[in-house]
Amino acid sequence: MPRFYCPDARFVLHEKCVLPEKARHHAGRVLRMKAGDTAVLFDGRGLEASGPIAFEGKDAFIVVGDVHRSTTESPLRMRLVQALVSPEKTDWIIEKAVEAGVSEIVLVPAARSVTKLSGERIQKRLAKCADIAAGAAEQCGRAVVPAVRFMAFDEALKLEDEARFLLAPGAAEPPKLTGLSSCTFAVGPEGGFDEAEIAAADAAGWQCVLLGPRVLRTETAGLVFAALAGAASGDLAFI
Ligand code: SAM
């Protein structure tokens, strides 16, 4: 069933809901939907609506036949603090984090981040990341589009949560993931977090944790953590 992100929509039963331009183009030109085909709209905040699509002049809309809260969210609220890496890797990390159920992504420049971002380029990058998050949510069946933010590493250390984990291959202990309803986890750049960053996280009350005996690439580590934490909270079903 085609799904379309409608960030400004208000879904009211039996009323029209007009698709934004990008969604209209996708429905009409790319998917070649016909009047009467069922479309699902989601508002990025957890609500979904469905109904038959109609085209009228330049507009496309559905008449809302059903509104419900999405059931595809993880029971665990996860916030990923990702050290800046190349744009290609960041795009991949965001897409996979959304699929894995992460609810917020914070990009931070780390001491060993090779990629640097400043000024206008931060806003441009964030806009691209927001598009990727929306596309991933659309594709994987989420009605929530995770926010992507940018902040200094020191600011990110002040973020509060039930549990805060800094992933470090040199750590001694694995994370305790059972019984959590929310957590924040930080992943370093290709060269890892430096000693000062690890010490600062420790001083700020974060737990430095090990994900296993192998050193994972930065783009693998966050995904593995999200899958493990999601599984521990009952998000993933095992047969
Ligand atoms: N030599 C670097 C170091 O020791 O940190 C390797 C960095 S690794 C390629 C990139 C990031 O992935 C790390 O900063 C860490 O956050 C995460 N990571 C990779 N493997 C990990 C593991 N086995 N345990 C915990 N974190 C890991």
Side-chain angles (χ1 to χ4, degrees):
M1 186 94 63
R3 305 179 78 248
F4 302 101
Y5 178 36
C6 303
D8 302 318
R10 261 189 70 243
F11 303 135
V12 182
L13 207 57
H14 308 310
E15 290 195 5
K16 271 186 184 180
C17 183
V18 176
L19 276 66
E21 193 191 334
K22 199 171 161 193
R24 168 172 53 79
H25 175 82
H26 196 221
R29 294 288 170 89
V30 181
L31 300 177
R32 300 196 170 279
M33 290 182 79
K34 302 272 176 285
D37 289 351
T38 303
V40 176
L41 313 188
F42 64 100
D43 67 359
R45 301 178 295 281
L47 277 188
E48 272 182 354
S50 63
I53 198 164
F55 299 91
E56 201 173 70
K58 277 184 167 180
D59 283 343
F61 61 87
I62 66 163
V63 175
V64 175
D66 171 69
V67 185
H68 62 266
R69 190 149 284 283
S70 155
T71 54
T72 57
E73 286 307 299
S74 171
L76 179 66
R77 262 195 84 72
M78 288 184 278
R79 183 199 283 134
L80 163 62
V81 173
Q82 172 65 53
L84 272 189
V85 290
S86 71
E88 296 73 27
K89 277 189 187 168
T90 305
D91 292 354
W92 193 92
I93 288 167
I94 287 174
E95 185 179 275
K96 302 307 161 207
V98 173
E99 290 175 33
V102 165
S103 34
E104 183 183 354
I105 298 152
V106 180
L107 302 177
V108 295
R112 293 188 181 137
S113 288
V114 177
T115 297
K116 310 282 179 207
L117 268 189
S118 59
E120 270 184 19
R121 287 178 56 220
I122 296 176
Q123 295 315 319
K124 279 193 181 161
R125 197 88 262 292
L126 288 179
K128 170 95 191 297
C129 291
D131 268 358
I132 289 172
E138 200 169 271
Q139 177 275 326
C140 76
R142 289 184 72 174
V144 169
V145 177
V148 185
R149 302 198 278 155
F150 181 92
M151 65 178 73
F153 180 75
D154 289 353
E155 288 303 307
L157 287 186
K158 293 180 197 156
L159 292 169
E160 296 193 352
D161 213 329
E162 207 178 308
R164 296 175 302 170
F165 302 110
L166 182 124
L167 310 190
E173 297 285 330
K176 290 194 176 61
L177 298 171
T178 47
L180 290 177
S181 60
S182 128
C183 70
T184 294
F185 61 105
V187 180
E190 290 87 344
F193 289 117
D194 73 7
E195 280 175 21
E197 287 167 332
I198 291 174
D202 188 48
W206 289 55
Q207 302 168 53
C208 292
V209 294
L210 178 68
L211 271 189
R214 293 172 292 281
V215 177
L216 308 173
R217 287 185 186 267
T218 179
E219 64 270 34
T220 316
L223 184 57
V224 167
F225 180 95
L228 289 173
S233 76
D235 184 38
L236 307 178
F238 292 101
I239 296 167

